Amino acid sequence: MKLLAMSRNDILLFVGFVIFTLAGPIILEPFGAGYPDLLQKFAIFGIFALGFNILFGLTGYLSFGHAAFLGAGSYTAVWTFKLFSMNPIPAIILSTLIGGIFAAAIGFISLRRTGIYFSILTLAFAQMSYNLAYSVLTPITNGETGLQLAQSDPRVLDVALGRDYGAVLPSSDFFGLEMTGYPGFYFCAIFLIICFFIKIRIFRSPFGLMLRAVKSNQNRLNYTGVNSRPYDLSAFIISGMYAGLAGGLLAVTDPLAGAERMQWTASGEVVLMTILGGAGTLIGPVIGAGAIKYFENIFSAFNDTILMNAFSFLPEVLQSAAVSVTSLFVGEGWHLTLGALFMLIVIFLPGGLMEGFKRISAMIKKRMNGGSDGSASSNPTTSA
Amino acid sequence: MSILSVANVNKRFGGLKALDEVNLNIEAGTVHAIIGPNGAGKSTLLNCFVGRLKPDTGTVTFDGKSLLGIKPHEINQMGVSRVFQTPEIFGDLTLRENVLIPAFAKRDGAFKINAWNSVGDEKDLETKAMDMLADLGIAEKASDVAGQLSRGDKRRLELAMCLIQDPKLLLLDEPTAGMARADTNDTIDLMKRIAERGVTMVVIEHDMHVVFSLADKISVLAQGTVIVEDLPENIKGNLKVQEAYLGGAHL
């Protein structure tokens, strides 16, 4: 077992990723994204999308129900806070496990079908979970209000260790370090880095090769002596665990859980993130997750006053016209921008933003080589 | 010693009797061709060997074990590899990866989570895969994506994928169907070389000429039943065969 034996490119990628993640607050400051709440979201949804890509990018199974695992993770984490301890470690261990268990159950049934039928099955299961969380399971999920902490929670472990939160509502803390603001971000960032490392290992391993073979030609794979079902299910469970962990971290940074996390829009969002960034690539989904969360934040913050100021250089008639048109795309309507962006990406860059980066770097290389070719062609003997 | 025996196999699709009391014995170390006109039941018979179809009655025994009701991947793990009519390969992966997958399947079995090594660390199998590609003359394309290969090279690759597993039995379903003349001759040469290594082969063919130079024994299937089983030199002159193929005209 050569756990650390990675190819040079992978080491560079991983080191770059670690530096970028840890220096995120500084690097993203100029873009107006250098504040902890947004950075936490980048890291958490980055984990969610990374895991989703292990299923979708490698095996090609498009799940429309991964939000169910995210939601289950959040509920588990909040319950762990309530029952055992405000320390985030047990909460995320349990939420990862529960995400995996849920995925095993849903995956076992859904993976009997492929293609669109698989997608519909996962969607149906997720919507079922969402509706159950609102109705029958209200004692566990606290229905519409959402699951919250209370002063009267037992917190057995904390009590046993003599930890008393007094009369205030406790927040999650890692041995005294509160999981809000930058500490919260770095806590999530460490998990993002671990998750990314595991993903590199999976992508490069024989296991990952088998998963790619599932996507490429499942029929051939079966006639090659491989039972593809357990491979599909493993990928599904691993991605479910990633989702559970992400859900747990959401609760760690903000200890409440609501059913809307399980809604199909949330499942759709992770699909968008993965495709936007580049399905099947190592780092694409994190970039996609970051891009969507960033735009959500920026565009939804715009309102008419800001727009009026932005267009103040125009004559008054044009100004109000410009504002009424652009206001469709910002604020409440930022989803319109997202939709348009997504359409452009799918049409022009089917491989997502990663394909865009590759094209640009190929273009730069070509231009540089083109320069040297130009000088070489002046000398026919070398150009041949 | 017979490695594959088929006894009294019947298969019906609705009102159509696709296989009618088929009996067949394949000797180890030989090339056995199953020929017959279109619709004779050749592919149905082959699908009964690999677990895609289950005969209504009768037995199919490989290496002393029944193949009935066993899944395709289990049959492969018993030592049966299969080449498809249209080459089935992993089109998005490189040639090297295409050959590595069956090598992993042979070594690790039908399912194993081998996630802590990277593919590049598996030097033994990599060497084996590259040797196999070199053997079939496609080593220089090892890093190309398999989907872009020519039809003939796809067939080579598919054979490499089967041969790397050292199969006890290699099944070929119309290996030259839809190929240009040059590719056909190429493939025949290739199969001859494989036969020389002593791999037991069953070749399903529509085109008689492909198998005459290759087969040790030929079974002629017509209307779901084996009408003749004989040495190649005796098949050509056989009246029953001519009738089945051409309604009596001479070959």
Side-chain angles (χ1 to χ4, degrees), chain A residues 152-211:
Chain A
S152 55
D153 289 335
R155 288 191 288 275
V156 194
L157 283 175
D158 284 349
V159 171
L161 293 172
R163 186 82 200 267
D164 186 15
Y165 288 92
V168 289
L169 259 188
S171 69
S172 176
D173 68 278
F174 183 60
F175 304 109
L177 194 62
E178 282 209 10
M179 288 293 107
T180 49
Y182 280 114
F185 163 68
Y186 279 107
F187 188 76
C188 298
I190 284 163
F191 282 97
L192 178 66
I193 289 167
I194 295 170
C195 284
F196 188 65
F197 179 77
I198 294 173
K199 189 178 169 188
I200 296 182
R201 299 303 309 176
I202 290 177
F203 263 56
R204 300 290 182 240
S205 70
F207 174 64
L209 182 62
M210 290 299 180
L211 296 182

Side-chain angles (χ1 to χ4, degrees), chain A residues 6 36 60 68 75 85 111 158 204 230 283 324-325 343 349 352 358:
Chain A
M6 295 202 284
Y75 282 124
S85 166
L111 286 166
D158 284 349
R204 300 290 182 240
I283 208 167
S324 57
V325 169
M343 267 164 52
L349 290 173
K358 265 183 209 144

Side-chain angles (χ1 to χ4, degrees), chain A residues 357-371:
Chain A
F357 295 144
K358 265 183 209 144
R359 280 195 199 169
I360 291 169
S361 71
M363 225 150 67
I364 293 169
K365 260 187 204 149
K366 208 171 158 193
R367 189 153 296 173
M368 285 162 81
N369 288 344

Side-chain angles (χ1 to χ4, degrees), chain A residues 100-297:
Chain A
I101 292 168
F102 261 63
I106 292 180
F108 183 77
I109 298 167
S110 305
L111 286 166
R112 291 176 176 273
R113 291 285 171 269
T114 54
I116 187 77
Y117 302 101
F118 168 81
S119 304
I120 296 290
L121 277 172
T122 50
L123 176 64
F125 273 115
Q127 280 303 91
M128 227 159 73
S129 315
Y130 167 69
N131 283 315
L132 284 176
Y134 260 135
S135 53
V136 195
L137 296 180
T138 307
I140 300 175
T141 61
N142 203 20
E144 273 180 58
T145 328
L147 191 62
Q148 289 165 344
L149 301 176
Q151 281 176 34
S152 55
D153 289 335
R155 288 191 288 275
V156 194
L157 283 175
D158 284 349
V159 171
L161 293 172
R163 186 82 200 267
D164 186 15
Y165 288 92
V168 289
L169 259 188
S171 69
S172 176
D173 68 278
F174 183 60
F175 304 109
L177 194 62
E178 282 209 10
M179 288 293 107
T180 49
Y182 280 114
F185 163 68
Y186 279 107
F187 188 76
C188 298
I190 284 163
F191 282 97
L192 178 66
I193 289 167
I194 295 170
C195 284
F196 188 65
F197 179 77
I198 294 173
K199 189 178 169 188
I200 296 182
R201 299 303 309 176
I202 290 177
F203 263 56
R204 300 290 182 240
S205 70
F207 174 64
L209 182 62
M210 290 299 180
L211 296 182
R212 282 159 64 212
V214 168
K215 182 179 183 178
S216 188
N217 191 342
Q218 194 153 359
N219 188 40
R220 175 31 105 190
L221 192 61
N222 289 332
Y223 282 99
T224 300
V226 175
N227 189 4
S228 52
R229 274 290 295 285
Y231 281 103
D232 300 344
L233 189 58
S234 315
F236 198 88
I237 292 173
I238 293 169
S239 71
M241 289 170 81
Y242 271 66
L245 172 64
L249 287 173
L250 276 177
V252 166
T253 52
D254 185 11
L256 54 88
E260 75 286 344
R261 268 180 206 165
M262 292 186 165
Q263 218 183 349
W264 67 271
T265 47
S267 295
E269 198 178 50
V270 73
V271 178
L272 292 191
M273 287 169 178
T274 308
I275 294 177
L276 188 74
T281 61
L282 277 168
I283 208 167
V286 186
I287 295 174
I292 286 184
K293 285 293 153 195
Y294 177 72
F295 284 126
E296 175 182 271
N297 218 52

